[in-house]
Amino acid sequence: RQDSVMAEPVLLRSLQGPPQGRLTACSLLPGRQQVVTGSQDGSLLLWNLSPGRPRPVRLTGVTGGHVTCIKAMGNTLVASSMDSTVSIWKNWE
């Protein structure tokens, strides 16, 4: 029997969210080099993970404050907020 040896984890990148609100949710977008983060102040940021592109793009339309969950499927992005609001974007890329 061979014991499997796991490789040591390697930090690829660290992203700094907005100073005015704590990050409360994030989602790595399948098949893309992007991450979406949500924060306590209700902001939703789209981060491009390609080298040299660290600045996030703010997605508008979140009205419920404190983002609790983010999910992406195809060209649809869904975010839920603490006040039970669900925001849905189509063709958001």
Side-chain angles (χ1 to χ4, degrees):
R1 181 182 130 170
Q2 255 184 344
D3 289 356
S4 61
V5 178
M6 294 187 64
E8 182 111 4
V10 176
L11 177 64
L12 297 178
R13 182 176 243 171
S14 181
L15 305 171
Q16 182 65 46
Q20 67 272 22
R22 292 183 179 153
L23 292 181
T24 56
C26 71
S27 181
L28 180 62
L29 305 180
R32 302 171 195 242
Q33 289 289 311
Q34 295 174 315
V35 170
V36 177
T37 60
S39 67
Q40 195 173 30
D41 69 358
S43 64
L44 208 60
L45 301 176
L46 177 64
W47 301 81
N48 190 326
L49 299 179
S50 299
R53 301 196 46 178
R55 298 250 182 221
V57 174
R58 184 177 298 271
L59 298 177
T60 59
V62 177
T63 58
H66 193 124
V67 177
T68 57
C69 183
I70 302 167
K71 179 72 176 170
M73 181 176 270
N75 67 348
T76 303
L77 181 70
V78 178
S80 62
S81 301
M82 193 72 137
D83 71 346
S84 299
T85 298
V86 175
S87 301
I88 303 169
W89 291 264
K90 278 285 211 194
N91 303 316
W92 51 272
E93 29 187 349

